[in-house]
Amino acid sequence: KVGMMLARGVLLRRTVARGVARPAWAAREVRSLGASSSTTAFEPPPRAPGPLMRLLGPDTAVASPGFTNRWAMMVPAFTTHLCLGGPGFGWSVLSSAIVREHGFVCSAATDWTLFDVTMPMPIFFTFLGLAGAAFGKWQNAVGPRMAIGAGGLLFGGGMCVGALGIATHNLPLLYFGFGVLGGSGTGLCYTPPMQALMLWFPDKKGLAMGCLVAGFGAGGLAFVPAMTQLMTAFQRVPTYLGPVGAVETSTHAGALLARSADGAELVAAVQATSADLAKISGDLATGLYVVGSGTTGAAQALAIAGVVYAAMLSTCALAICRPRAGWLPAGYTPPASAVDLPSLSVDQVMRTPQFYQLGVTFSCLTCGIYGIFSVAKGMMSEVFSGALPLLVTSGFTSGYLMMLSLANLSGRFGMATLSDRIGCKNTYNAIIATLIPIYFTAPLLVQQVVSTESSLPLYTFVGTTWLAVFAACGSISTTPAYEAALFGAKNVGAVHGRMLVFNSIAAVLGPNLFVKLRTNDELAAIGSPLSRVEPSRF
């Protein structure tokens, strides 16, 4: 400091000696080096904040002294998570459509495989965790408005880029848009409302987190019917060639070719059976359809969703704020343990074993439900529809997806509220005790449905998977309150951002495990008759 002041003094003397006007900064003197020192230092003028910081900066996200309605902050926080949770947990309604984007009535040879269309969901949740971990400190620095505003534009833009990937049949573009951009936007928006509500509800952390992340679970309740309606509105039925036997067909390189209606050329075609048509809406006839002549409407529906979500998240960013420093709810006195417990920094938390123990448990509890959500509609329509075609219809499958979304919503709210009464640790133990027997019995129930073709094991499977989603999603809402109890509430947003990495691991392992096991069984089923049938007869 002394060297800096001497240098400035020399510069000032030379400036005055040359007859140049005294610099503006020389007029602003600030006392330094303690109260007893007469030495002065000169500071340049502070930089004025730009228009973006005046609108979304951290200072704008602090409530005014007269504002005390903390429940009003629940609205933008809940709406933010409502927007974020729809595409992730409702992805199977889109994957079941784009797996037959070219064939429409069933998958064509040029369509993406089940593995291809399942991957956007784990990529989405992977980048949710990575973005939450990488930008946790930045979110604390810029405040909730800037974080949600930037994340909302990234989230909505990612949906639109993913829609372009579907329209152009570009799989990497779909992964980049929906998975990378959409997941990163979700990671930026996910924890700022959580941090704000923790400060608004120090006396009801579990209830606040339950209400908040219930919005993430409820996203599927809005997303699934909305996407279904939009896809129905924008779908275009493919060209019908005629019933099987009435049209000349041939095969080439594994693809089915059929003579066009005017008989001039051979076109790629798919054969739709009554079982295929039972999985989709509309009154269509069995027979041959031209590949690529129709569309499921998935691209248009996802693009509209992206624009709507970007607008809603931008509005929520302008509405949310934190309480002013030192604010407490009327009549609330922090308990002695909460006063004495310091809030650890993110770097300190990362050096504790409790963080990793909680993360591994969290990942194990949620791994199964991500697998269920990724293949829920396909599992019902492909596995159970063949055994019980009259019961497992398109309406039954959509109803099952809505039930899972309802379990997602109610589990997040119910378990978080329970944690306020019995504690986070006891709630976690109850969740573990519920999930272990369900995960072991679910495969047996699937086998019973296929082998016996009975409705009883089917309804039992539906009930047990509902309970599994209820309990596992309860762990998602309980974890932030558990982190606040272990490490303090001040930095819980940034800490939970790091915890989302374990959530990303579960989101990758669950769907890939389900698809891998299904592929193994499929190959085994095909290989068994091939080993006993002559190639010429086959």
Side-chain angles (χ1 to χ4, degrees), residues 152-532:
L153 294 178
L154 198 61
F155 179 79
M159 298 298 107
C160 294
V161 173
L164 181 62
I166 295 174
T168 59
H169 207 65
N170 189 326
L171 192 61
L173 191 60
L174 172 61
Y175 289 170
F176 176 73
F178 185 90
V180 178
L181 297 182
S184 299
T186 305
L188 293 181
C189 296
Y190 189 86
T191 57
M194 191 176 295
Q195 179 75 62
L197 291 188
M198 280 286 186
L199 299 176
W200 281 111
F201 293 87
D203 53 335
K204 300 176 180 179
K205 293 185 178 70
L207 175 63
M209 291 302 98
C211 293
L212 175 63
V213 297
F216 201 86
L221 289 173
F223 184 80
V224 170
M227 288 297 101
T228 302
Q229 291 294 326
L230 287 173
M231 287 190 294
T232 302
F234 286 102
Q235 74 178 13
R236 187 175 70 251
V237 177
T239 302
Y240 181 64
L241 294 176
V244 178
V247 180
E248 178 186 349
T249 61
S250 62
T251 58
H252 177 72
L256 178 65
L257 302 178
R259 187 68 63 181
S260 60
D262 56 6
E265 59 179 350
L266 290 175
V267 295
V270 288
Q271 178 182 338
T273 65
S274 57
D276 295 325
L277 299 179
K279 303 174 187 177
I280 59 178
S281 59
D283 187 15
L284 300 176
T286 59
L288 299 173
Y289 290 84
V290 178
V291 171
S293 60
T295 178
T296 61
Q300 296 91 327
L302 187 59
I304 292 174
V307 174
V308 173
Y309 282 145
M312 292 179 65
L313 289 171
S314 299
T315 304
C316 292
L318 297 174
I320 199 167
C321 64
R322 295 172 175 174
R324 61 191 181 278
W327 178 88
L328 289 174
Y332 171 69
T333 301
S337 58
V339 175
D340 297 336
L341 179 66
S343 291
L344 302 181
S345 67
V346 179
D347 295 333
Q348 290 173 325
V349 171
M350 296 299 291
R351 292 193 293 268
T352 63
Q354 288 86 351
F355 176 81
Y356 299 97
Q357 292 165 354
L358 181 62
V360 171
T361 306
F362 180 45
S363 182
C364 291
L365 292 177
T366 56
C367 182
I369 64 164
Y370 284 118
I372 293 174
F373 273 108
S374 66
V375 298
K377 188 168 185 178
M379 176 175 61
M380 276 290 165
S381 60
E382 293 185 16
V383 178
F384 297 135
S385 179
L388 298 166
L390 298 180
L391 177 61
V392 185
T393 60
S394 177
F396 185 93
T397 302
S398 299
Y400 178 66
L401 290 179
M402 296 294 290
M403 285 182 59
L404 293 183
S405 297
L406 182 62
N408 193 352
L409 164 65
S410 55
R412 290 167 184 259
F413 179 78
M415 286 297 184
T417 306
L418 180 65
S419 69
D420 278 338
R421 297 181 177 273
I422 67 174
C424 297
K425 185 175 182 179
N426 291 331
T427 304
Y428 248 74
N429 289 335
I431 293 171
I432 294 171
T434 302
L435 287 177
I436 289 177
I438 291 178
Y439 283 164
F440 275 111
T441 57
L444 300 177
L445 291 172
V446 175
Q447 185 178 7
Q448 286 293 315
V449 174
V450 175
S451 60
T452 64
E453 298 184 359
S454 172
S455 60
L456 179 60
L458 173 64
Y459 286 122
T460 306
F461 175 81
V462 170
T464 54
T465 52
W466 189 95
L467 184 59
V469 172
F470 178 92
C473 289
S475 69
I476 297 176
S477 61
T478 306
T479 300
Y482 208 164
E483 293 163 355
L486 289 173
F487 312 119
K490 181 179 179 181
N491 298 309
V492 70
V495 170
H496 193 65
R498 303 292 177 91
M499 184 63 67
L500 290 177
V501 173
F502 292 97
N503 183 70
S504 299
I505 295 173
V508 172
L509 290 179
N512 278 282
L513 182 62
F514 272 56
V515 173
K516 180 66 175 176
L517 293 175
R518 185 235 190 214
T519 303
N520 289 345
D521 281 352
E522 188 178 50
L523 293 176
I526 294 174
S528 178
L530 282 178
S531 63
R532 298 192 300 268

